[in-house]
Amino acid sequence: MALEENKAFLRRVPLLYSLNEQQIESLAAGSVRRNYPKGRTIVSEGEPSQSLYILLSGRAKVQRSDLEGKEVILAVLGSGDFFGEMSMIDDAPRSASVITLESCDFMSIAKDSFKAMLAQSNEMCMAVMRGLVRRLRDADQKIESLALLDVYGRVARVLMDFSEEIDGERIVRNRLPRQEIAKMIGASREMVSRVMKGLELDGYVVPMSEGRMMLRGKIASWVD
Ligand code: CMP
């Protein structure tokens, strides 16, 4: 039963679309499905790797921290995203920590199964490479923001990145705490609060119920 359920989950993961039935079956045999509550560390920066993870539902942050405990958020992952592939590919320690932002369902795939699948499937190698290239593009954009934008612009870009179009409006649907925005853009929480207040006064951000926000004017149409 667990095997059938695992197969059904794996078939819905974009990274694995190219695998045939037999490949899905052998991957499912080496997979475990888990649920973790909010705030749980799934992989820790610097540790050796055992598994690749696929996020089936919920959101998790990818984070690095320095010796003083200062943290920077590199990315926020959502349903269908995978993580933990980097240390499998280069056999180096985990490059970052991944921590749940809400209750999350994961599929973990053992290192050996993942590597065997990469060796068998050219398409899967391409899918992993596409994921890596997407991250590089996101990282390039982040470097550009840090180098060229002021804090006002950086906050505006984060809001735009996290927004989606709903009924013709740009909405930030998930709660985005100021502390988390601050960790994404290398600013203090107080600074982010001041900027958010300014954006609200200028009418660019309209707070809605349950922490959602509507973006208006120039930040709602910010296209790279
Ligand atoms: P790994 O190094 O095994 O463990 C931490 C994981 O975080 C890493 O693999 C990637 O899957 C993920 N990760 C690291 N850096 C980024 C980033 N800049 N954007 C998205 N995910 C990342």
Side-chain angles (χ1 to χ4, degrees):
M1 184 63 189
L3 181 68
E4 284 308 312
E5 273 182 18
N6 285 357
K7 277 165 57 182
F9 277 110
L10 292 176
R11 267 192 226 104
R12 294 206 294 268
V13 175
L15 172 70
L16 310 174
Y17 281 167
S18 60
L19 299 186
N20 62 35
E21 204 41 39
Q22 198 193 339
Q23 290 168 323
I24 286 282
E25 174 128 14
S26 64
L27 208 53
S31 304
V32 181
R33 199 149 52 91
R34 293 185 200 283
N35 175 271
Y36 290 109
K38 177 180 172 176
R40 182 68 67 86
T41 301
I42 310 302
V43 306
S44 296
E45 184 182 347
E47 288 195 348
S49 67
Q50 317 289 345
S51 314
L52 169 95
Y53 296 84
I54 296 169
L55 196 45
L56 302 172
S57 70
R59 292 180 311 138
K61 60 181 174 179
V62 181
Q63 172 174 297
R64 285 180 69 116
S65 47
D66 68 8
L67 290 173
E68 290 166 16
K70 277 193 283 175
E71 294 162 350
V72 57
I73 296 177
L74 302 173
V76 173
L77 308 176
S79 164
D81 286 334
F82 61 91
F83 61 91
E85 78 295 348
M86 286 170 61
S87 51
M88 299 219 173
I89 291 169
D90 66 4
D91 285 319
R94 295 285 193 200
S95 61
S97 298
V98 180
I99 301 162
T100 55
L101 288 169
E102 53 201 39
S103 168
C104 288
D105 285 309
F106 294 98
M107 192 72 105
S108 78
I109 300 175
K111 190 172 187 166
D112 291 348
S113 305
F114 175 66
K115 284 198 151 178
M117 212 46 66
L118 281 185
Q120 278 178 35
S121 166
N122 225 358
E123 284 89 353
M124 181 145 162
C125 289
M126 283 303 292
V128 171
M129 278 199 277
R130 271 195 296 276
L132 293 172
V133 168
R134 201 187 66 214
R135 277 179 199 165
L136 184 57
R137 285 181 188 278
D138 291 346
D140 286 350
Q141 195 191 57
K142 203 158 190 173
I143 292 167
E144 183 202 320
S145 288
L146 290 172
L148 302 181
L149 296 180
D150 58 15
V151 176
Y152 199 90
R154 285 186 235 159
V155 172
R157 181 170 264 171
V158 167
L159 295 178
M160 185 57 199
D161 286 348
F162 279 83
S163 69
E164 53 199 290
E165 191 165 322
I166 300 174
D167 296 334
E169 303 284 1
R170 285 236 70 98
I171 305 289
V172 180
R173 192 152 49 141
N174 290 309
R175 196 176 286 280
L176 201 51
R178 277 145 212 220
Q179 181 68 57
E180 304 282 298
I181 298 177
K183 287 185 195 172
M184 287 180 219
I185 62 167
S188 66
R189 195 184 59 76
E190 293 72 21
M191 184 62 166
V192 170
S193 291
R194 273 203 296 280
V195 168
M196 287 294 293
K197 200 168 263 172
L199 287 168
E200 284 175 22
L201 284 173
D202 293 341
Y204 295 128
V205 172
V206 180
M208 299 167 75
S209 59
E210 294 164 7
R212 289 177 304 143
M213 292 175 255
M214 185 188 295
L215 307 185
R216 303 259 76 148
K218 63 182 176 190
I219 76 165
S221 53
W222 190 344
V223 182
D224 286 306

